[in-house]
């Protein structure tokens, strides 16, 4: 099975437990205003690779994974290529490699149906907890995300929830309450909640691509902003 890949990170330590081989898929339909990897958006960018070639590459790092490390599919949006993701995850599971998928959740439920049986952990990005803000921030529909969440809840897939804190934008008491409500609705599926501080480290990529960065007036989140969330 062939698919399009943006890049690899051989010894990642933040996209899942333990040491991870992170495979960044090419292509994303969302246009998040704070995206730090806009170079992954183009569906036809990156390089074409075979799933067997990727598994072979991951296998070389297996001795570093120890008990809880493994492979993480990230992006871009990995579930825009569900058959390709399925082929990689299925083979890794056969070889006893821990599997994780980092997704926006703004995807078809059919993609989740295909990959969740071979996914040990889902890293789910909560872009916003308000429908209007979700659309403004991402260009996507909150309804699509909610349908995915409903399915994930039914499947009881272990989750790490991720929420990028945008100072003055999505950190109000109301939004904190709604986020807490979402977390509680997922019960013990939620193994970890990560509050990620908004940063501007990807702005240079927007400039390189000739794009206008839309949050130029937004200051990065400080440690105290996160601590007081």
């Amino acid at each position: 099975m062939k698919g399009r890949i943006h890049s690899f990170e051989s010894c990642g330590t933040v996209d899942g437990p333990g040491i991870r081989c992170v495979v960044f898929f090419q292509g994303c339909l969302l246009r998040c205003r704070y995206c730090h990897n806009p170079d992954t958006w183009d569906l036809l960018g990156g390089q074409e690779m075979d799933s067997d070639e990727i598994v072979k590459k991951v296998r070389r790092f297996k001795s570093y994974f120890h008990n809880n490390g493994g492979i993480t599919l990230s992006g871009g949006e990995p579930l825009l290529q569900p058959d390709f993701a399925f082929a990689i995850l299925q083979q890794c599971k056969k070889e006893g490699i821990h599997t994780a998928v980092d997704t926006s959740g703004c995807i078809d439920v059919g993609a989740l149906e295909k990959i969740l049986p071979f996914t040990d952990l889902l890293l789910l990005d909560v872009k916003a907890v308000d429908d209007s803000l979700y659309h403004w921030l991402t260009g996507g529909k909150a309804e699509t995300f909610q349908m995915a969440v409903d399915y994930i809840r039914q499947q009881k897939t272990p989750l790490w929830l991720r929420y990028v804190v945008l100072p003055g934008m999505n950190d109000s008491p109301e939004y904190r309450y709604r986020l807490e409500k979402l977390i509680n609705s997922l019960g013990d599926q939620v193994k970890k909640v990560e509050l990620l501080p908004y940063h501007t480290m990807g702005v240079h990529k927007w400039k390189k691509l000739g794009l206008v960065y839309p949050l130029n007036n937004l200051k990065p989140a400080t440690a105290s902003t996160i601590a007081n969330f």
Side-chain angles (χ1 to χ4, degrees), residues 33-205:
R33 291 174 183 261
Y34 55 85
C35 181
H36 58 274
N37 287 318
D39 49 334
T40 66
W41 289 351
D42 184 1
L43 299 174
L44 300 178
Q47 60 176 320
E48 187 178 73
M49 291 188 69
D50 190 275
S51 56
D52 289 342
E53 186 181 353
I54 291 172
V55 173
K56 183 179 178 181
K57 191 178 183 74
V58 173
R59 196 181 291 128
R60 293 207 298 268
F61 298 101
K62 196 171 179 179
S63 61
Y64 296 99
F65 295 158
H66 302 298
N67 294 327
N68 58 355
I71 183 175
T72 297
L73 306 187
S74 186
E77 173 50 67
L79 298 188
L80 285 183
Q81 303 181 69
D83 293 333
F84 185 45
F86 166 79
I88 296 169
L89 295 169
Q90 183 188 45
Q91 187 59 40
C92 286
K93 284 297 293 176
K94 280 182 181 177
E95 300 192 21
I97 298 171
H98 183 275
T99 58
V101 176
D102 178 11
T103 177
S104 69
C106 196
I107 37 84
D108 291 336
V109 168
L112 291 167
E113 291 175 344
K114 188 175 288 289
I115 64 96
L116 285 189
F118 303 94
T119 302
D120 294 313
L121 176 69
L122 202 64
L123 312 180
L124 182 63
D125 301 326
V126 182
K127 304 289 187 182
V129 288
D130 174 85
D131 291 1
S132 296
L133 181 59
Y134 191 99
H135 181 68
W136 184 82
L137 276 176
T138 71
K141 294 181 179 179
E143 180 184 357
T144 305
F145 173 76
Q146 190 56 56
M147 289 174 65
V149 169
D150 291 342
Y151 182 76
I152 293 165
R153 185 184 293 110
Q154 293 169 17
Q155 301 307 306
K156 302 189 182 305
T157 308
L159 290 168
W160 283 14
L161 295 183
R162 292 174 150 182
Y163 188 78
V164 176
V165 178
L166 305 161
M169 193 168 288
N170 68 355
D171 58 346
S172 68
E174 179 186 351
Y175 289 153
R176 293 202 300 267
Y177 169 76
R178 291 194 196 184
L179 179 62
E180 184 177 358
K181 190 176 178 181
L182 172 63
I183 294 168
N184 290 338
S185 76
L186 290 162
D188 61 6
Q189 277 180 257
V190 180
K191 307 304 178 187
K192 189 175 184 179
V193 177
E194 294 184 307
L195 298 175
L196 306 176
Y198 164 73
H199 61 74
T200 58
M201 290 186 286
V203 173
H204 70 284
K205 293 185 179 180

